[in-house]
Amino acid sequence: MREPVELRRKRILAVVHARGAVKVTTLAAELDVSVVTLRRDVEELARAGRLRRGHGVARPVGDAAETTAPAVARTGEPAAEGGPIALVVPERHSYLYETLHGARTALEAAGMRIALHIAPQSAGAERPQVERALAGGARGLLIAPRWRSAAGEEADYGWLAEVGVPTVLMERRPRPGSALHALDSVCSDHWYGVHLAVGHLVSLGHRRIVLAARNDSPTARAIRAAFAEIAAAHPEVDDWSVVLSSSNAGPGPGSRTGAPSTAAPSTAASEEPAPDLAALLRERGVTGAVLHGDEDALMLVQRLTESGIRVPQDCSVVAYDDVVSSLGSTPLTAVAPPRADIGRAAAELLLHRLAHPEGTTGPVRRVELLPALKVRGSAQALPLPKP
């Protein structure tokens, strides 16, 4: 699937805002796009006043002094002494780039230097990035590992628990009882997000619903588990199922997902790889669907339309993530986790640890922020049955 232009430009802004001046060629390589495309994006963003460009470099809005020392320019106080704060996030992950932007805002306001490290998509890619950050003198760590599978997640628990500097996990909640259970973390309450999605569909009269979701991240696994629990317990839901949202939405061959197959009693096989959603809807009489994540949701809506199933007339849809769900030909009603607020809260928690050394041995904080439901045009009430 070709990446939407607006999503790509959001990723460009996130990197530039987090790192300061960046060469266009470097950005193109890191974001895996052509230099020609990247230059065109930078020109459009500069024309819109969202960044500055010059001599093959993209930089945040503001002069050179503001770019290198924004906290001094705004507050008049010297930047904090010591090493930088390391931010480690996966490459090509627009959801977490917004979280990164929220963290950067809080850290710059406190006068902290930031060292951004982008981890490749390969398994275990975060550890070398963290080691590089620590070798560079990082005194604090904000990290959002990709963790495509539960096995890959647990493989990181040991070394990440012994990093040796104050660390806060962003949008990640380790397995209870694991080595990282007692590590500061800030994440969205995805159970509540799924509760909003299912509740909205039920309030519109939908009784047969499906979750088409990814299964290659901690967020995806949390959403799948929450949907199974909520749908099974909801007295008004007659039938439900969980399927993969696309052929590349799983953790990969040989990876343990960490969650059992989940389905209504009437469903023998609800997790067949990337089923034909239109056929499933017709077979099961489904009238409501929750789709995760945004790009998969837009693609699935396109495929439903091509198969003669209209959204929302024949099937109401609620997307989960709300990164680009509003950009479809039918803007999608969506659950919107507070991505930037997650990063901001994680940075503030890390700043608290650094400002109060005695706090490093204080109570661990596990912060949850609640998503919101953005109602648009992709879900509507079922017509009342004819008398």
Side-chain angles (χ1 to χ4, degrees):
M1 172 185 172
R2 177 177 294 178
E3 181 179 39
V5 173
E6 185 61 28
L7 175 58
R8 186 175 66 245
R9 291 177 181 172
K10 280 186 177 183
R11 295 200 295 127
I12 291 169
L13 288 170
V15 174
V16 172
H17 287 160
R19 195 182 303 173
V22 185
K23 288 183 178 180
V24 169
T25 52
T26 300
L27 268 174
E30 290 186 1
L31 302 183
D32 194 24
V33 297
S34 71
V35 174
V36 172
T37 297
L38 205 291
R39 283 201 184 105
R40 187 184 307 121
D41 286 338
V42 169
E43 288 174 2
E44 289 298 322
L45 290 169
R47 189 174 294 117
R50 301 174 72 182
L51 54 71
R52 298 177 65 235
R53 68 183 179 91
H55 304 295
V57 173
R59 51 172 53 91
V61 174
D63 60 27
E66 289 174 330
T67 301
T68 56
V72 174
R74 286 195 297 269
T75 68
E77 297 178 359
E81 297 180 357
I85 301 299
L87 280 77
V88 179
V89 295
E91 69 172 337
R92 300 183 65 82
H93 203 305
S94 57
Y95 181 104
L96 289 174
Y97 277 16
E98 292 195 42
T99 301
L100 162 67
H101 181 63
R104 167 214 169 235
T105 301
L107 293 173
E108 285 191 346
M112 293 291 178
R113 291 189 295 124
I114 300 169
L116 176 63
H117 297 263
I118 299 179
Q121 296 191 37
S122 55
E126 285 81 12
R127 184 171 186 174
Q129 299 297 326
V130 172
E131 291 173 346
R132 187 172 297 115
L134 295 176
R139 58 173 173 156
L141 173 65
L142 293 174
I143 183 170
R146 185 179 295 274
W147 284 346
R148 290 181 63 90
S149 69
E153 175 179 336
E154 296 197 17
D156 283 344
Y157 283 176
W159 68 263
L160 193 49
E162 299 177 355
V163 164
V165 298
T167 299
V168 180
L169 288 170
M170 300 186 297
E171 200 60 289
R172 298 291 182 255
R173 184 56 50 85
R175 176 178 57 78
S178 69
L180 293 187
H181 190 129
L183 187 70
D184 287 326
S185 61
V186 180
C187 69
S188 301
D189 184 343
H190 293 300
W191 187 98
Y192 184 75
V194 174
H195 165 76
L196 291 176
V198 173
H200 184 61
L201 290 172
V202 168
S203 74
L204 296 174
H206 299 281
R207 301 293 180 262
R208 304 177 75 83
I209 58 179
V210 63
L211 169 69
R214 304 192 66 82
N215 196 19
D216 59 356
S217 72
T219 294
R221 293 190 289 275
I223 289 169
R224 293 163 74 88
F227 182 87
E229 177 185 339
I230 292 168
H234 208 297
E236 295 177 279
V237 174
D238 295 331
D239 186 75
W240 61 272
S241 57
V242 178
V243 299
L244 281 175
S245 55
S246 71
S247 58
N248 66 347
S255 296
R256 180 166 56 88
T257 66
S261 177
T262 52
S266 60
T267 313
S270 67
E271 283 197 20
E272 296 178 0
D276 181 339
L277 187 59
L280 177 67
L281 298 187
R282 291 190 175 101
E283 176 187 340
R284 303 286 297 277
V286 171
T287 62
V290 181
L291 307 179
H292 170 259
D294 272 14
E295 294 179 54
D296 289 341
L298 292 174
M299 290 294 293
L300 286 170
V301 169
Q302 288 177 209
R303 290 177 192 146
L304 290 177
T305 301
E306 292 165 359
S307 299
I309 295 178
R310 301 166 300 168
V311 174
Q313 295 90 336
D314 302 321
C315 180
S316 287
V317 165
V318 177
Y320 200 106
D321 273 359
D322 201 35
V323 177
V324 293
S325 55
S326 65
L327 304 179
S329 55
T330 299
L332 303 182
T333 291
V335 174
R339 298 176 296 276
D341 290 310
I342 292 291
R344 191 174 300 111
E348 290 170 351
L349 178 51
L350 183 61
L351 289 170
H352 170 78
R353 294 293 189 202
L354 293 171
H356 304 88
E358 68 279 2
T360 58
T361 57
V364 171
R365 302 186 182 189
R366 310 186 75 195
V367 180
E368 282 191 330
L369 303 183
L370 271 59
L373 183 70
K374 305 293 185 180
V375 177
R376 298 189 180 104
S378 63
Q380 68 179 29
L382 281 180
L384 294 174
K386 295 181 181 180

